Amino acid sequence: MNSNGKKSNNENQIEGRNPVLEVFRSGRTVDKLLIAKGSREGSILEIIQKAKEQGVVIQEVDRRRLDELSMTRGAHQGVIAFVTPYSYVTVEDIINRAAEKDEPPFVVVLDEITDPHNLGSIIRTAESCGAHGIIIPKRRSAGLTPAVIKASAGAVEFMPIAKVTNIANTLEDLKKYGLWVAGAHMDGDLYTSKDLTGPIALVIGSEGKGLGRLVKAKCDFLVRIPQKGKISSLNASVAAGVLMYEIVRQRDRGK
């Protein structure tokens, strides 16, 4: 619970104009839409139109009421949608998605990413890079909270996400599907020196500890991003973005 007594893990509440628009575009069921009184400009008009087209209940409320309901500290931009719960997928679903696209699997595995903005940013970048899915642990990880969904700019609606009990065991399962497992770690080889064009699972460690010992041991190889400054490590979402786009660069170059 947060300081206002509200559940902080409500995955049924979407806040912000772009995230709500992406919900409508994704086809996910919207149960109810709250709009701040007097909001009739820009993208709000498009949201209202889509809600009417889909027969969604629209309620105009005082902005203070939205502030009370908001789980993103008031960053709702005058709109909150209540939707059906996000449907997590299985690891097999992610592998099948790659097969359907006739592409080598590209999976992002997150080892205890707890910061919602980092998770949201990684989801957004993974969707942009064409990753086939993301795997997160059931415990000690941020879930798909309103803050994560907003930080993803709606990308969560198009990115399959699997929740697993044990990341180390899941990496073994991915190897059985033929994926190579690359872990982001400062002890690794320069990230541009490794062949990342084949079936691959990219593992990103937590913001503070990095890769867990067991997870690190399950990686086939480790890759590092060179550091030129005095700060010892990059933000997890920035590091993930650099490595994901290296996979994209290598794959595009091979075409």
Side-chain angles (χ1 to χ4, degrees):
M1 306 284 281
N2 64 19
S3 60
N4 293 324
K6 296 176 294 189
K7 290 183 179 180
S8 59
N9 64 342
N10 188 350
E11 298 179 3
N12 303 354
Q13 183 168 315
I14 310 296
E15 304 180 18
R17 299 185 182 190
N18 196 54
V20 170
L21 268 176
E22 294 300 345
V23 165
F24 280 113
R25 290 169 181 159
S26 73
R28 192 169 168 196
T29 302
V30 178
D31 298 320
K32 184 170 65 174
L33 185 70
L34 301 185
I35 299 287
K37 285 183 179 177
S39 295
R40 284 293 185 276
E41 77 289 349
S43 55
I44 288 288
L45 288 175
E46 184 179 357
I47 290 171
I48 292 173
Q49 179 183 352
K50 289 185 178 298
K52 288 180 177 179
E53 289 172 355
Q54 297 182 23
V56 175
V57 174
I58 304 172
Q59 291 184 359
E60 285 195 68
V61 299
D62 289 335
R63 186 170 288 269
R64 284 180 298 179
R65 177 56 179 158
L66 294 181
D67 291 339
E68 292 172 358
L69 292 171
S70 176
M71 296 184 182
T72 59
R73 298 183 179 180
H76 49 72
Q77 300 175 308
V79 57
I80 294 177
F82 295 91
V83 301
T84 56
Y86 179 86
S87 296
Y88 289 96
V89 303
T90 66
V91 172
E92 184 178 12
D93 289 333
I94 293 174
I95 301 301
N96 289 339
R97 185 176 188 233
E100 290 166 2
K101 293 187 172 186
D102 196 25
E103 296 172 346
F106 173 12
V107 182
V108 180
V109 183
L110 304 179
D111 184 21
E112 298 184 11
I113 297 292
T114 58
D115 183 276
H117 297 95
N118 274 338
L119 178 56
S121 179
I122 291 170
I123 293 171
R124 183 176 185 176
T125 304
E127 200 281 329
S128 179
C129 287
H132 299 107
I134 293 174
I135 298 173
I136 62 174
K138 290 182 178 178
R139 299 178 59 202
R140 295 188 293 275
S141 172
L144 296 183
T145 62
V148 170
I149 294 168
K150 192 169 192 304
S152 81
V156 69
E157 301 301 329
F158 306 98
M159 176 53 56
I161 299 174
K163 260 187 176 182
V164 299
T165 302
N166 187 295
I167 290 291
N169 290 346
T170 299
L171 295 181
E172 286 293 337
D173 293 336
L174 291 173
K175 291 180 184 182
K176 294 175 183 176
Y177 284 113
L179 279 71
W180 290 88
V181 179
H185 198 280
M186 288 306 295
D187 292 341
D189 297 319
L190 186 65
Y191 74 108
T192 53
S193 70
K194 307 298 289 187
D195 183 356
L196 306 176
T197 58
I200 194 162
L202 174 64
V203 190
I204 305 296
S206 68
E207 296 90 345
K209 300 182 295 182
L211 295 179
R213 180 180 59 83
L214 293 176
V215 170
K216 180 182 175 184
K218 295 292 184 180
C219 294
D220 291 309
F221 59 90
L222 303 174
V223 292
R224 65 177 173 84
I225 301 170
Q227 308 282 312
K228 302 296 184 182
K230 296 181 179 179
I231 302 299
S232 60
S233 63
L234 290 172
N235 171 278
S237 63
V238 172
V242 170
L243 295 173
M244 281 190 273
Y245 268 103
E246 176 62 14
I247 293 173
V248 172
R249 185 189 71 82
Q250 290 192 19
R251 289 187 169 192
D252 286 350
R253 184 186 61 188
K255 292 180 180 179

